[in-house]
Amino acid sequence: MDYLEGFQFCNAYIFPGEHILWKGRPEKGRYFSAHDLFLIPFSLVYLSFSLFWVWGVLQSGPPMMALFGLPFVAVGAYLLFGRTLRNIYLRGRTFYVITNKKLIIKKGNRITTYQAQDLPPMTLQIHQSGNGTISFTEAVRYRGGGSYHNYFALENIANPIQAQNAINSMDR
């Protein structure tokens, strides 16, 4: 696929008076994030316990009980291996477009747009390779006291300073 061919999707999302300030996609490499520092050990323990449980049931109990543990083994395998493989797969199908009015992210078949005035504060992290990740995080609180974090990022991009400058120059 030609580099520009992957960006053709954004034409339907760009309106009159709007123009592209920056476009890019994730670079190869750096498939692990800070979240993986917690998720990989947890996944390893979860999968190990699930396998140990199924093995124990097969050794001492009725073999049909082992079927109960198989979904847990499948979840543990996905958490440990599948999630990373899925991220690698999606990285090759991810495109970022910054216009003067919005940020458009395409991951696989999913397209998400964020209006310039609705973007949460951004954080820029420069990697040793010179690539960088621009993260947007915002804590959203409910009336009942609960909260969740709205998080998205432009991951491992080749020219993070240009992307950051494009975001800063958006019409807000």
Side-chain angles (χ1 to χ4, degrees):
M1 175 188 333
D2 183 61
Y3 179 76
L4 293 177
E5 185 179 314
F7 290 99
Q8 295 303 316
F9 77 94
C10 72
N11 293 337
Y13 296 91
I14 297 176
F15 301 114
E18 194 171 359
H19 58 276
I20 295 175
L21 300 174
W22 180 88
K23 58 184 167 184
R25 56 187 309 182
E27 296 293 312
K28 298 207 182 307
R30 192 163 178 85
Y31 293 112
F32 297 102
S33 67
H35 298 110
D36 292 323
L37 291 175
F38 169 75
L39 286 175
I40 289 175
F42 172 79
S43 304
L44 190 59
V45 170
Y46 184 92
L47 179 60
S48 298
F49 179 78
S50 300
L51 288 170
F52 175 76
W53 188 88
V54 169
W55 178 256
V57 168
L58 287 173
Q59 296 300 313
S60 63
M64 290 300 290
M65 281 299 291
L67 292 176
F68 177 75
L70 290 181
F72 294 96
V73 171
V75 168
Y78 174 77
L79 288 173
L80 190 58
F81 304 111
R83 193 175 49 81
T84 302
L85 293 174
R86 180 179 175 270
N87 287 343
I88 291 170
Y89 172 80
L90 281 178
R91 179 154 305 168
R93 289 152 187 79
T94 298
F95 301 91
Y96 306 123
V97 177
I98 300 170
T99 72
N100 58 323
K101 299 195 182 281
K102 67 175 80 97
L103 169 62
I104 307 168
I105 300 176
K106 179 182 184 211
K107 278 191 170 189
N109 293 328
R110 183 178 191 183
I111 299 172
T112 310
T113 62
Y114 301 94
Q115 297 301 319
Q117 65 271 15
D118 298 333
L119 287 175
M122 71 177 152
T123 304
L124 173 63
Q125 178 186 7
I126 304 290
H127 310 307
Q128 290 178 344
S129 65
N131 295 341
T133 297
I134 299 176
S135 304
F136 298 88
T137 307
E138 177 181 43
V140 179
R141 305 212 181 280
Y142 297 116
R143 285 187 190 178
S147 68
Y148 73 93
H149 291 278
N150 186 16
Y151 171 83
F152 58 95
L154 308 179
E155 300 177 273
N156 201 32
I157 52 178
N159 43 10
I161 303 298
Q162 288 178 354
Q164 183 184 35
N165 290 339
I167 292 166
N168 287 334
S169 65
M170 294 171 85
D171 300 337
R172 295 184 191 227

